[in-house]
Amino acid sequence: MKKTLLMAGLMIMTRFLAASADVDPNFYVYLCFGQSNMEGNATPEAQDKAGVDDRFQMLACVDFQNPARKMGEWYTATPPIVRQGTGLGMADYFGRTMVANLPQDVKVGVVDVAIGGTRIEGFMQEEVASYVAGEADWFKNIMAAYDNDPYKRLVDMAKIAQKKGVIKGILLHQGESNNTQQDWPQKVKKIYDRLIADLGLNAADIPLFVGETVSRAAGGACWGHNAVIARVPEVIPNSYVISSADCPQKGDGLHFTAEGYRMMGARYAQKALKLMGIDADIPEPTPAPGLKPDRKFKSLQEIGNTAFAIVNEAEGKALFGSDNQNLDCQDYETAFNDGNSGYLFKMEESEVSGCYLLRLYTPDGAPYSIWGNPGYLNSQPVSTGWCSFILGLDNRNGQDMANGAVWEICYADGKGFSLKNVGTGLYLKDASPARYDEPTYFTFCTLSETATGINTISYVPSVSSDAIYDLNGRRLNVSTLRPGIYIKNRKKIVVK
């Protein structure tokens, strides 16, 4: 009997040692969860798609078709990290910044489960079923990818990650759907405590990093929730708030731009590195050169056959064809992206006297076509409530109603061009159908690359002499300046 027990004990010990041998102590794993900003809501740009260090890994938490990824397996963390169809998010530049500042023999992996629009209750097992039952079909479809239990999927994937690496921390970005709810920190604590228990972790070793929503100064729609986020360290001692100050947003008040995600990701990493004793002075990423309005037209005759962008300069937005054939209206960085169907238009004569068709052109200058049919700017009927979108033209001069793709275009001196849809008889303002009684005035213009640096100062806000700005005109905190070139009193200064 003793011999049998001894043999059984040796077998168990052997298996334990074999499993432990596969765990790399230099593979740092971070769990990530939240809603759309953690999921990734910005279209990745060229700089985001290339050059990802293979020391930065992602564990696929669902199956992907494009790129082909299998749930439960590790891949180099090229976006999208969360699911097929998601974009650039918090984890992308968290991981990139981490590996850039850690020794070469250290890898970083992220396990990222995030659902756009979810409340914190989506990660609470006792509430998720009743919560999801009352939500829209699109939300249910996303939750179904996680078997309607995102928390369980996060734990299951974390256990797979523990076979290869060591969990070092947790990243959270959520709150917009629980805006200003005072019990939110307690709910976050409940999820955190459960993760610690279910994964056999020690809370003292596992910091929680919680990111702020878009700030009030940046036009955040849920900025009031940041005061609630600030209270998380009161209930979770080993937790840290990541500031969103100065991080740009897309214009909806909820989601960051690609630049904003780069900045936030670097800030998450900076705090994580600080806790390791690495006082990394991380320069915040700057946007890649982008397209901005250049030559502005003042008549239809001046435009002729020139391809032009349709820009709402007052709001800093532009119309464009998104990748799913819809019309969209977003900030310049989002609109003038080569991943979109197109963002330039040309006028063509229509069958309605004095009115025009607006043909979309792809980023490489080719006429946009759908299933072999020309793609035109087309408004749906006002009653549908759907967005205007880019579709082929039929014999009614509109895809969804007669003359839905025909536009009366007028220029008002000092204001810009208005777009009145012949089908609805109303004006276009944004990506919704042409349904407005009063015109919105757009700038029709060509585009040019923004400069990556400056030789002269063309404009600096008129402010007190103590104010310091970066080369993009953003006011900075003097106490946190890093070495570099800045603007003060309309002159360049060098901080060493």
Side-chain angles (χ1 to χ4, degrees):
M1 181 67 178
K2 290 183 178 179
K3 183 176 181 181
T4 300
L5 290 174
L6 178 61
M7 290 297 294
L10 288 173
M11 290 176 64
I12 293 172
M13 181 62 71
T14 300
R15 290 174 184 171
F16 173 78
L17 291 174
S20 299
D22 291 335
V23 176
D24 181 357
N26 286 329
F27 188 13
Y28 298 172
V29 175
Y30 289 84
L31 311 183
C32 308
F33 72 102
Q35 59 182 105
S36 52
N37 277 315
M38 182 60 76
E39 182 183 62
N41 194 263
T43 301
E45 299 173 357
Q47 64 177 309
D48 308 313
K49 299 175 183 178
V52 181
D53 193 323
D54 61 9
R55 291 162 53 227
F56 176 30
Q57 297 277 301
M58 55 152 286
L59 185 71
C61 295
V62 296
D63 289 330
F64 290 60
Q65 291 184 340
N66 185 22
R69 291 169 176 167
K70 184 177 180 181
M71 182 172 68
E73 295 188 1
W74 291 101
Y75 301 89
T76 300
T78 303
I81 287 176
V82 177
R83 284 189 319 279
Q84 180 177 328
T86 59
L88 195 72
M90 299 293 173
D92 288 275
Y93 278 81
F94 165 77
R96 298 185 199 201
T97 305
M98 292 292 289
V99 297
N101 287 274
L102 289 167
Q104 285 295 313
D105 61 345
V106 175
K107 296 188 298 183
V108 171
V110 292
V111 180
D112 199 334
V113 174
I115 298 96
T118 190
R119 295 165 59 89
I120 196 67
E121 288 81 1
F123 289 92
M124 303 181 73
Q125 289 187 296
E126 71 275 22
E127 298 191 36
V128 65
S130 59
Y131 164 51
V132 174
E135 292 299 306
D137 287 344
W138 67 265
F139 183 77
K140 291 177 181 177
N141 291 337
I142 298 176
M143 293 294 279
Y146 300 97
D147 295 328
N148 295 309
D149 193 345
Y151 175 84
K152 183 177 184 300
R153 180 64 57 85
L154 182 61
V155 170
D156 289 347
M157 295 299 103
K159 288 180 178 179
I160 291 175
Q162 285 180 306
K163 295 177 181 179
K164 295 293 184 181
V166 180
I167 295 175
K168 291 287 188 177
I170 303 171
L171 279 63
L172 168 64
H173 198 284
Q174 195 278 333
E176 293 88 350
S177 294
N178 295 85
N179 188 28
T180 69
Q181 293 180 8
Q182 298 304 305
D183 62 346
W184 186 82
Q186 286 72 28
K187 292 181 178 180
V188 171
K189 174 177 169 55
K190 186 176 289 188
I191 297 169
Y192 173 81
D193 288 346
R194 285 178 178 171
L195 286 171
I196 296 299
D198 290 345
L199 295 171
L201 304 171
N202 181 352
D205 299 328
I206 308 297
L208 173 68
F209 305 98
V210 188
E212 289 184 336
T213 64
V214 176
S215 69
R216 183 179 187 179
C222 299
W223 62 269
H225 193 68
N226 290 336
V228 179
I229 292 173
R231 293 183 10 240
V232 171
E234 297 174 8
V235 297
I236 304 176
N238 194 11
S239 64
Y240 306 86
V241 175
I242 308 303
S243 172
S244 67
D246 300 322
C247 293
Q249 52 107 351
K250 293 175 65 173
D252 59 6
L254 298 171
H255 302 105
F256 297 94
T257 63
E259 179 191 8
Y261 286 122
R262 296 181 199 116
M263 294 170 69
M264 286 294 290
R267 292 177 184 182
Y268 274 98
Q270 190 170 35
K271 176 56 71 173
L273 291 164
K274 179 73 172 179
L275 296 180
M276 297 177 189
I278 301 173
D279 194 12
D281 186 15
I282 300 171
E284 298 206 329
T286 56
L291 294 170
K292 294 285 170 51
D294 187 19
R295 179 189 175 192
K296 300 175 184 180
F297 298 105
K298 295 184 178 181
S299 71
L300 298 180
Q301 292 73 22
E302 185 183 2
I303 295 172
N305 193 43
T306 304
F308 58 91
I310 302 177
V311 171
N312 184 334
E313 287 193 281
E315 297 185 3
K317 296 181 180 181
L319 300 179
F320 65 99
S322 64
D323 57 5
N324 60 356
Q325 302 171 5
N326 289 341
L327 179 73
D328 207 344
C329 183
Q330 299 287 347
D331 61 274
Y332 299 157
E333 181 182 5
T334 303
F336 304 143
N337 188 293
D338 288 350
N340 296 324
S341 299
Y343 44 76
L344 295 175
F345 297 84
K346 282 189 178 182
M347 293 186 299
E348 296 180 10
E349 295 286 344
S350 76
E351 295 179 359
V352 179
S353 177
C355 296
Y356 299 87
L357 306 173
L358 288 168
R359 180 77 182 270
L360 182 69
Y361 276 68
T362 65
D364 60 5
Y368 178 60
S369 296
I370 306 165
W371 306 306
N373 297 317
Y376 292 96
L377 178 58
N378 180 80
S379 178
Q380 289 188 341
V382 173
S383 60
T384 65
W386 291 2
C387 292
S388 305
F389 51 96
I390 306 296
L391 281 177
L393 184 67
D394 63 13
N395 57 11
R396 297 185 304 156
N397 294 319
Q399 183 71 28
D400 304 282
M401 63 180 175
N403 295 323
V406 181
W407 301 89
E408 180 183 336
I409 305 174
C410 297
Y411 180 77
D413 190 36
K415 294 182 178 180
F417 292 90
S418 61
L419 291 166
K420 187 175 184 179
N421 187 260
V422 175
T424 66
L426 300 170
Y427 291 97
L428 186 73
K429 178 181 179 181
D430 44 35
S432 59
R435 60 182 181 181
Y436 296 94
D437 294 326
E438 298 297 324
T440 293
Y441 291 100
F442 295 95
T443 299
F444 288 8
C445 60
T446 61
L447 301 173
S448 65
E449 291 277 349
T450 56
T452 57
I454 59 173
N455 295 317
T456 60
I457 309 301
S458 58
Y459 170 74
V460 179
S462 178
V463 292
S464 67
S465 60
D466 292 328
I468 292 181
Y469 295 81
D470 66 13
L471 299 185
N472 292 315
R474 294 174 296 194
R475 185 168 180 169
L476 304 174
N477 185 337
V478 178
S479 64
T480 60
L481 287 182
R482 301 185 178 95
I485 300 174
Y486 301 95
I487 302 169
K488 183 177 181 181
N489 289 332
R490 300 179 181 269
K491 296 180 180 180
K492 286 188 289 186
I493 63 170
V494 178
V495 176
K496 297 182 179 180

